[in-house]
């Protein structure tokens, strides 16, 4: 009959015709049409044709032309295409080609970056072994894992990777399921254990594809292969999960439409104004084109791309590989980090945290205890082979002064009773001198009942009384409450080698108990504290048990205000989950299934929280893809997690995430800085066109379209790029995280760009323009084309307008370096790249003004010497106006502080 707790398995309904792997073995063998002797080779071949290979179906890759076209049709890219077309119409074909080159270059770079994050499902296939031992035609044979079919009988032993989902028929195993479930300790699986688990993945009679046998031996019948396995189900989840648009991608899209609306609106408004002012429709249309070009910041897209690329390089130097450019900024806006425990908060290396003698007293290292620990193992620490717990016990024994080579240990061993999940203990019998010694380790509740005496730290053996047994039980419970995995160790001497296990494991002397733990990384506590100071909450989502997870979380400073296990999470309504995640508490989600982690990421996303999900196991892949930012461990993490994640920590250091948060915040701030810098120049570029139109042509055009493009693609670019490399502003990591809905372009930014720096710059450049014209005798309405004297003066005047914008750009660049802080707080000369950028734009402007070849192209002429005296204070005036505004903002902020 169907198991009462089993409602779904591997994504298939229990009411389907497929067999239930948790039913009785006799019925399962009947339903699979097989036997304990396995299939015939002929039947296996037939089933292979029906079920297909035991491999994960690869997701159909997106065709590269479509992916590249998406990059070329980005809203900001579309604006640049419009700018290129308008530049072509305006007769500046060289600049039109330059804009096209910028669009194509940026699209190619973004396309290459995005392609690096599209291989998660393919990496899952590496978790299937190449060959497996099976029974076919009544004999054991080795077959390709890809050729396994439902009904095959597997032979599993220590060190084997399970090749398919299977039900145990006989024997017992210890399974390392950490890659699948996230649980750090090996789990017990045996054919005849009672199956009362709520989840199939916890069933004691089932083993799953991709897990590893760390001990024991068993036979199992395959019931699912390929995409029908638990691993295949996770692969399907990873393939279906949609990559979320990053906050910056969303905001850049909004900025693009804002720019488009402003540029188009200005051009549409200009047409009737120009005609009403006396211009012909042809003239009005041509200058509307110029106005539109003036409002399209051709350098914005490459500046954002290169700033993010610089952030990627900065992250790489800090130990994080970024596979999506926008991920740098996403990390900076992170409000919640959902972290795995094993291998992320901890080192994924077990160690002995506490040792006690046979009476429960703390001990440093009793020789009898360490000898028993060293002998009652099968692990080899030099080769790194064996159960992680046994490796930790051997390290503890060696650190206590006992060095016993594995080959010496094995040569002196005459009996090995492997770990039995029923008995919950393991025993060895070794030749020691002229006698023999049994060494036993296992669960305290099992060994204590078999011990008649105990060894104190002083080496004295005394009889165990009921009072001492109760005291020992309390000690063990206390160790377990601190998240330790407790093992009891006992021994017994024999004159002759015993044969019967029951005899060997009776009348034992308790040598002591040890508590093991997968310790937290030393740097994690400081990293968590830094997260808290930055307003970031940290949740733990792990497949491990709640007691251990909560203990580790509290040790590193995570609140662990609430512990929610997997079944409780699965039963929790969405409204309750949303309320829990937005309560301000830090939660430990334990025994979390892959769907559970995915649900947590979805809930946080729904609540408007930017979430970073860390992990290292196969089971983390779907959530890593769904989260705003998937962060995988590079050294110890699985290939699946690394491929599914957006950022890979090469040093497996949780603290690197905090460095990434700072880097991301700095990058986002810098994006705002150069947007502010670029927007500020729209006003002095637009005002000349409005003045020309409103005067009906009585005032000649103070700035030409070619000069505007020289500013947007020439003098403006390098300082903008340098602002993208600005250092972090003081107090950056003390701010709360940005809201997902907060725009990169705020009202305050527009006020600074257009209302302060833009207006001041516009007034100054028009002042310079009129000063040159009036000094040459110009009056409104005078012909500046036919009159040679006035024409030369007009060329000088437009040149002064062009130079005025360039000089104002220097002041704008200095003002844009901070959002609130004074310039002295960051240092006038601290950004050497910006100083170099300002020097370049002055040199570039000088070339346009003084080189005859460029004079002919851009319509410039060297201005009179006195004009430079007029231009010299422009940078200081623009900077001073914004500095006064920021000083007022700082005072208002200080007044609001308690």
């Amino acid at each position: 009959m169907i198991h009462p707790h089993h409602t779904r398995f591997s994504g298939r309904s229990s009411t389907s015709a497929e067999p239930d792997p948790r039913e009785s073995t006799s019925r399962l063998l009947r339903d699979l049409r097989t036997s304990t002797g396995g299939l015939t080779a002929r039947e296996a071949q037939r089933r292979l044709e029906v079920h297909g290979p035991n491999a994960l179906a690869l997701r159909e890759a997106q065709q590269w032309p479509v992916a590249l076209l998406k990059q070329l049709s980005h809203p900001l890219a579309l604006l640049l295409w419009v700018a290129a077309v308008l530049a072509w119409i305006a007769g500046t074909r060289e600049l039109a080609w330059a804009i096209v080159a910028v669009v194509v270059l940026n699209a190619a770079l973004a396309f290459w970056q995005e392609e690096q994050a599209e291989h998660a499902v393919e990496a899952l296939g590496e978790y299937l072994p190449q060959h497996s031992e099976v029974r076919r035609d009544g004999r054991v044979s080795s077959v390709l894992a890809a050729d396994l079919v439902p009904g095959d009988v597997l032979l599993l032993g220590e060190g084997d990777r399970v090749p398919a989902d299977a039900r145990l028929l006989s024997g017992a195993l210890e399974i390392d399921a950490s890659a699948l479930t996230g649980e750090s300790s090996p789990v017990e699986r045996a054919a005849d254990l009672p199956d009362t688990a709520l989840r199939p993945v916890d069933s004691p009679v089932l083993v799953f594809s991709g897990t590893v046998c760390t001990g024991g031996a068993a036979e199992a019948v395959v019931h699912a292969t390929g995409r029908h396995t638990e691993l295949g189900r996770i692969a399907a989840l990873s393939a279906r999960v949609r990559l979320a648009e990053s906050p910056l991608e969303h905001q850049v899209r909004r900025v693009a439409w804002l720019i488009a609306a402003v540029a188009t609106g200005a051009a549409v408004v200009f047409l009737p104004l120009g005609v009403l002012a006396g211009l012909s429709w042809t003239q009005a249309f041509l200058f509307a084109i110029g106005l539109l070009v003036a409002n399209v910041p051709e350098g914005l897209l490459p500046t954002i791309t290169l700033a993010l690329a610089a952030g990627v390089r900065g992250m790489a130097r800090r130990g994080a590989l970024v596979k999506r450019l926008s991920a740098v900024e996403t990390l900076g806006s992170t409000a919640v980090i959902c972290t795995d425990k094993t291998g992320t908060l901890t080192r994924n290396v077990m160690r002995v945290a506490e040792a006690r003698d046979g009476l429960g007293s703390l001990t440093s290292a009793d020789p009898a205890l360490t000898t028993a620990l060293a002998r009652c193992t099968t692990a080899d620490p030099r080769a790194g082979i064996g159960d992680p717990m046994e490796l930790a016990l051997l390290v503890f024994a060696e650190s206590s002064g006992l060095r016993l080579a594995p080959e010496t240990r094995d040569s002196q061993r005459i009996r090995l009773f492997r770990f039995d999940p029923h008995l919950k203990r393991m025993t060895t019998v070794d030749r020691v001198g002229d006698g023999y010694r049994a060494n036993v380790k296992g669960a305290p509740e099992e060994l204590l009942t078999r011990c008649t005496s105990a060894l104190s730290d002083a080496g004295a053996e005394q009889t165990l009384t009921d009072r001492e047994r109760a005291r020992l039980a309390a000690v063990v419970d206390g160790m377990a409450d601190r998240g330790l995995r407790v093992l009891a160790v006992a021994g017994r001497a024999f004159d002759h080698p015993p044969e019967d296990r029951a005899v060997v494991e009776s009348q034992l002397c308790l040598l002591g108990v040890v508590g093991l733990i997968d310790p937290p990384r030393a740097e994690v506590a400081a990293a968590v504290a830094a997260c808290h100071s930055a307003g970031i909450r940290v949740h733990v989502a792990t497949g491990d048990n709640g007691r251990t997870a909560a203990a580790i979380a509290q040790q590193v400073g995570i609140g662990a205000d609430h512990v929610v296990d997997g079944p409780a999470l699965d039963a929790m309504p969405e409204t309750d989950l949303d309320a829990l995640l937005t309560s301000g508490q830090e939660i430990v989600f334990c025994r979390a299934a892959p769907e559970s982690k995915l649900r947590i990421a979805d809930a946080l996303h729904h609540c408007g929280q930017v979430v970073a999900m860390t992990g290292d196991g196969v089971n983390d892949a779907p959530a890593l893809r769904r989260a705003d930012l998937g962060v995988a461990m590079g050294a110890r993490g699985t290939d699946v997690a690394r491929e599914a994640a957006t950022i890979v920590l090469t040093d497996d250091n949780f603290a690197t995430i905090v460095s990434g948060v700072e880097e991301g915040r700095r990058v986002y701030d810098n994006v705002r800085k150069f947007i502010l810098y670029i927007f500020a120049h729209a006003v002095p570029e637009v005002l000349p066109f409005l003045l020309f139109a409103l005067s009906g042509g009585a005032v000649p055009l103070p700035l030409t379209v070619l000069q505007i493009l020289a500013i947007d693609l020439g003098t403006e670019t390098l300082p903008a790029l340098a602002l993208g490399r600005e250092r972090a502003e003081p107090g950056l990591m003390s701010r709360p995280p940005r809201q997902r809905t907060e725009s990169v372009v705020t009202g305050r930014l527009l006020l600074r760009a257009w209302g302060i720096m833009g207006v001041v710059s516009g007034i100054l450049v028009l002042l310079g323009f009129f000063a040159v014209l009036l000094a040459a005798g110009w009056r409104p309405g005078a012909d500046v084309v036919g009159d040679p004297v006035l024409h030369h003066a007009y060329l000088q005047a437009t040149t002064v307008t062009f130079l005025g914008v360039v000089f104002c750009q220097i002041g704008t660049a200095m003002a844009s370096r901070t959002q609130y802080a004074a310039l002295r707080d960051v240092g006038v000369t601290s950004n050497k790249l910006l100083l170099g950028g300002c020097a370049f734009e002055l040199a570039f402007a000088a070339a346009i003004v003084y080189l005859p070849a460029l004079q002919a192209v851009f319509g410039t002429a060297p201005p009179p010497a006195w004009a430079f005296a007029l231009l010299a204070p422009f940078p200081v005036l623009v900077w001073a106006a914004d500095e006064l505004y920021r000083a007022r903002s700082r005072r208002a902020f200080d007044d609001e502080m308690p």
Side-chain angles (χ1 to χ4, degrees):
M1 71 180 188
I2 301 298
H3 193 281
H5 297 296
H6 180 48
T7 56
R8 292 190 67 83
F9 181 77
S10 297
R12 301 189 299 274
S13 172
S14 61
T15 60
S16 68
E18 297 185 28
D20 178 10
R22 300 174 72 177
E23 61 191 359
S24 65
T25 55
S26 59
R27 182 167 180 173
L28 178 61
L29 290 171
R30 185 200 66 188
D31 291 345
L32 290 170
R33 301 190 308 280
T34 188
S35 67
T36 55
L39 303 171
T40 65
R42 181 176 176 180
E43 175 63 15
Q45 182 61 37
R46 188 191 68 79
R47 294 190 184 192
L48 185 61
E49 294 175 0
V50 173
H51 294 278
N54 179 34
L56 301 177
L58 298 182
R59 180 163 45 95
E60 184 178 352
Q62 179 174 275
Q63 297 298 315
W64 71 265
V66 177
L68 185 58
L69 183 62
K70 286 177 63 177
Q71 300 297 340
L72 292 170
S73 58
H74 185 278
L76 203 51
L78 292 177
L79 279 180
L80 292 178
W81 284 119
V82 172
V85 171
L86 295 178
W88 186 281
I89 294 173
T92 56
R93 299 186 177 184
E94 294 82 1
L95 289 173
W97 282 116
I99 296 173
V100 170
V102 167
V103 175
V104 172
L105 210 61
N106 277 279
L109 179 59
F111 168 75
W112 180 82
Q113 288 282 343
E114 298 298 332
E115 284 295 295
Q116 305 306 307
E118 295 300 319
H119 307 292
V121 177
E122 290 85 341
L124 283 160
E126 296 183 10
Y127 273 77
L128 295 180
Q130 294 183 347
H131 290 83
S132 299
E133 298 291 321
V134 300
R135 289 191 188 278
R136 284 188 181 172
D137 294 319
R139 62 179 183 273
V140 177
S141 58
S142 178
V143 301
L144 287 172
D147 292 341
L148 290 175
V149 294
D152 266 326
V153 174
L154 291 171
L155 279 70
L156 299 171
E158 183 176 342
D160 290 342
R161 190 180 293 276
V162 180
D165 288 3
R167 162 68 181 266
L168 296 183
L169 297 175
S170 64
L173 296 168
E174 276 192 332
I175 296 291
D176 178 4
S178 60
L180 191 65
T181 66
E183 186 168 358
S184 58
S185 301
V187 293
E188 303 164 5
R189 297 291 182 258
D192 54 353
L193 284 176
D195 186 1
T196 58
L198 295 177
R199 303 184 304 170
V201 74
D202 295 325
S203 170
V205 298
L206 301 181
V207 291
F208 296 95
S209 174
T211 60
V212 179
C213 303
T214 59
E219 292 189 7
V221 61
V222 173
H223 64 81
T225 59
R227 61 187 179 88
H228 297 293
T229 63
E230 191 77 3
L231 195 63
R233 182 177 59 80
I234 296 174
L237 282 174
S238 295
R240 290 196 301 266
V241 169
R242 177 182 57 85
L243 285 173
E245 183 180 55
S246 79
L248 184 62
E249 289 171 327
H250 177 70
Q251 295 302 333
V252 167
R253 196 176 296 275
R254 290 185 59 183
V255 170
W257 292 122
L258 173 64
I259 294 171
V262 170
T264 305
V268 169
V269 169
F270 175 81
L271 276 172
L273 286 178
V275 172
L276 290 175
L279 296 180
S280 66
W281 279 103
T282 301
Q283 287 177 313
F285 177 73
L286 289 175
F287 286 108
I289 290 175
L291 192 61
L292 189 60
V293 171
N295 277 282
V296 175
E298 290 84 357
L300 182 59
L301 185 59
T303 303
I304 290 176
T305 302
L306 292 174
L308 291 175
V312 167
R313 291 192 296 272
M315 288 289 291
R317 287 192 294 269
R318 296 182 181 219
L321 300 179
V322 180
K323 298 194 291 185
R324 290 174 62 195
L325 287 178
S326 57
V328 178
E329 178 275 330
T330 307
L331 190 55
S333 60
T334 296
V336 177
I337 296 176
C338 287
T339 177
D340 192 19
K341 179 188 74 70
T342 306
T344 308
L345 297 179
T346 66
R347 295 188 296 163
N348 199 22
V349 178
M350 296 194 75
R351 69 171 176 85
V352 174
E354 187 174 305
R356 292 178 178 267
D357 64 19
L359 297 176
S361 301
L362 287 171
T363 181
S364 55
D366 182 83
L369 174 63
T370 55
T371 300
L373 289 175
R375 290 190 176 277
C376 192
T377 62
T378 58
D380 185 349
R382 293 176 301 185
I385 298 173
D387 185 294
M389 180 191 67
E390 289 195 349
L391 292 172
L393 295 176
L394 290 173
V395 169
F396 172 71
E398 185 172 349
S399 67
S400 302
L402 179 66
R403 290 176 174 81
L404 182 64
E407 55 269 19
T408 303
R409 174 198 66 193
D410 296 343
S411 67
Q412 295 175 352
R413 179 174 297 160
I414 62 170
R415 294 284 186 275
L416 171 62
F417 299 104
R418 291 187 178 275
F419 178 83
D420 188 314
H422 298 289
L423 305 177
K424 296 184 179 180
R425 57 184 179 270
M426 169 188 174
T427 301
T428 63
V429 179
D430 305 282
R431 184 183 295 106
V432 181
D434 296 332
Y436 301 89
R437 179 82 184 176
N439 298 292
V440 189
K441 73 173 189 292
E445 63 272 18
E446 292 293 329
L447 253 63
L448 282 177
T449 60
R450 297 181 172 274
C451 293
T452 57
S453 62
L455 193 69
S456 69
D457 191 30
E461 185 175 338
Q462 65 183 66
T463 302
L464 275 177
T465 64
D466 290 341
R467 181 178 179 181
E468 287 164 342
R469 291 180 189 276
R471 180 174 176 272
L472 281 168
V475 167
V476 169
D477 289 342
M479 294 171 70
D481 286 338
R482 298 198 303 277
L484 300 180
R485 184 183 183 187
V486 186
L487 283 177
V489 185
R492 179 182 177 184
F494 292 91
D495 294 329
H496 303 284
E499 298 290 340
D500 184 25
R501 181 168 190 170
V503 173
V504 173
E505 296 173 346
S506 63
Q507 299 182 16
L508 299 170
C509 175
L510 184 65
L511 304 178
V513 291
V514 293
L516 297 99
I517 194 170
D518 180 7
R521 297 175 180 274
E523 66 279 356
V524 168
V528 170
C531 286
H532 290 162
S533 69
I536 299 171
R537 284 180 294 120
V538 183
H539 301 312
V540 178
T542 177
D544 217 334
N545 69 79
R547 176 184 288 175
T548 302
I552 292 294
Q554 291 168 350
Q555 286 180 39
V556 299
I558 298 174
D561 306 300
H562 201 62
V563 178
V564 180
D565 63 17
L569 175 61
D570 294 339
M572 188 178 293
E574 290 184 351
T575 53
D576 292 352
L577 179 59
D578 292 349
L580 180 64
L581 291 172
T582 56
S583 64
Q585 295 181 319
E586 291 186 323
I587 316 300
V588 173
F589 296 97
C590 60
R591 302 293 189 191
E595 296 91 343
S596 302
K597 292 188 176 184
L598 189 57
R599 188 182 178 208
I600 293 168
D602 272 328
L604 287 166
H605 190 80
H606 175 76
C607 294
Q609 303 289 317
V610 178
V611 56
M613 180 75 71
T614 74
D616 62 352
V618 174
N619 63 317
D620 297 320
L624 289 177
R625 281 184 62 85
R626 182 62 184 95
D628 295 285
L629 195 71
V631 184
M633 303 299 110
R636 294 185 180 273
T638 63
D639 289 340
V640 180
R642 288 194 290 267
E643 292 293 342
T646 313
I647 290 181
V648 179
L649 303 183
T650 58
D651 54 4
D652 283 13
N653 191 340
F654 184 84
T656 305
I657 300 176
V658 181
S659 298
V661 169
E662 182 178 7
E663 184 73 14
R665 290 187 175 189
R666 183 188 68 83
V667 168
Y668 191 84
D669 268 9
N670 290 348
V671 168
R672 271 186 170 164
K673 289 171 185 176
F674 60 65
I675 288 177
L676 169 67
Y677 171 74
I678 291 172
F679 271 31
H681 307 143
V683 175
E685 290 176 357
V686 170
L687 279 180
F689 287 92
L690 293 177
L691 181 64
F692 170 79
L694 294 175
S695 69
V699 176
L701 191 62
L703 195 64
T704 67
V705 174
L706 282 174
Q707 290 168 354
I708 289 174
L709 291 174
I711 293 170
D712 290 348
L713 289 177
T715 63
E716 186 175 82
T717 304
L718 283 187
L721 291 175
L723 285 172
R725 305 297 297 274
E726 188 69 40
R727 295 177 183 176
E729 193 169 339
L732 179 67
M733 289 299 288
S734 299
R735 305 178 195 165
R738 295 189 318 277
Q739 295 295 318
R740 181 187 292 274
T741 55
E742 182 181 341
S743 175
V744 69
V745 177
T746 62
R748 184 176 183 274
L749 184 147
L750 293 178
L751 173 62
R752 291 180 65 193
W754 292 344
I756 298 176
M757 290 185 284
V759 169
V760 171
S761 298
I763 293 172
L764 290 175
V765 298
L766 289 179
L767 176 65
F769 173 75
F770 284 116
V772 174
L773 274 184
L774 292 173
W778 171 85
R779 295 295 179 268
D783 184 7
V784 295
V785 177
D787 188 330
V789 176
L790 286 182
H791 180 66
H792 181 70
Y794 170 67
L795 294 180
Q796 288 182 316
T798 58
T799 301
V800 168
T801 305
F802 167 73
L803 290 175
V805 174
V806 172
F807 274 64
C808 288
Q809 280 180 327
I810 296 175
T812 304
M814 290 297 174
S816 300
R817 292 184 60 192
T818 64
Q819 293 193 51
Y820 293 97
L823 183 60
R824 65 176 178 273
D825 293 335
V826 297
V828 177
T829 61
S830 60
N831 190 337
K832 300 296 190 295
L833 289 175
L834 181 60
L835 297 178
C838 293
F840 168 81
E841 71 173 323
L842 290 175
F844 183 78
I848 289 177
V849 172
Y850 289 101
L851 294 181
L854 295 179
Q855 287 175 351
V857 173
F858 292 98
T860 58
W866 61 265
F868 287 101
L870 181 66
L871 293 170
F874 281 14
V876 177
L877 292 174
V878 172
W879 164 78
D882 187 70
E883 185 74 18
L884 289 173
Y885 171 75
R886 282 183 285 114
R888 181 179 177 183
S889 298
R890 288 195 299 275
R891 286 195 298 270
F893 179 78
D894 292 339
D895 291 340
E896 292 176 1
M897 294 296 290

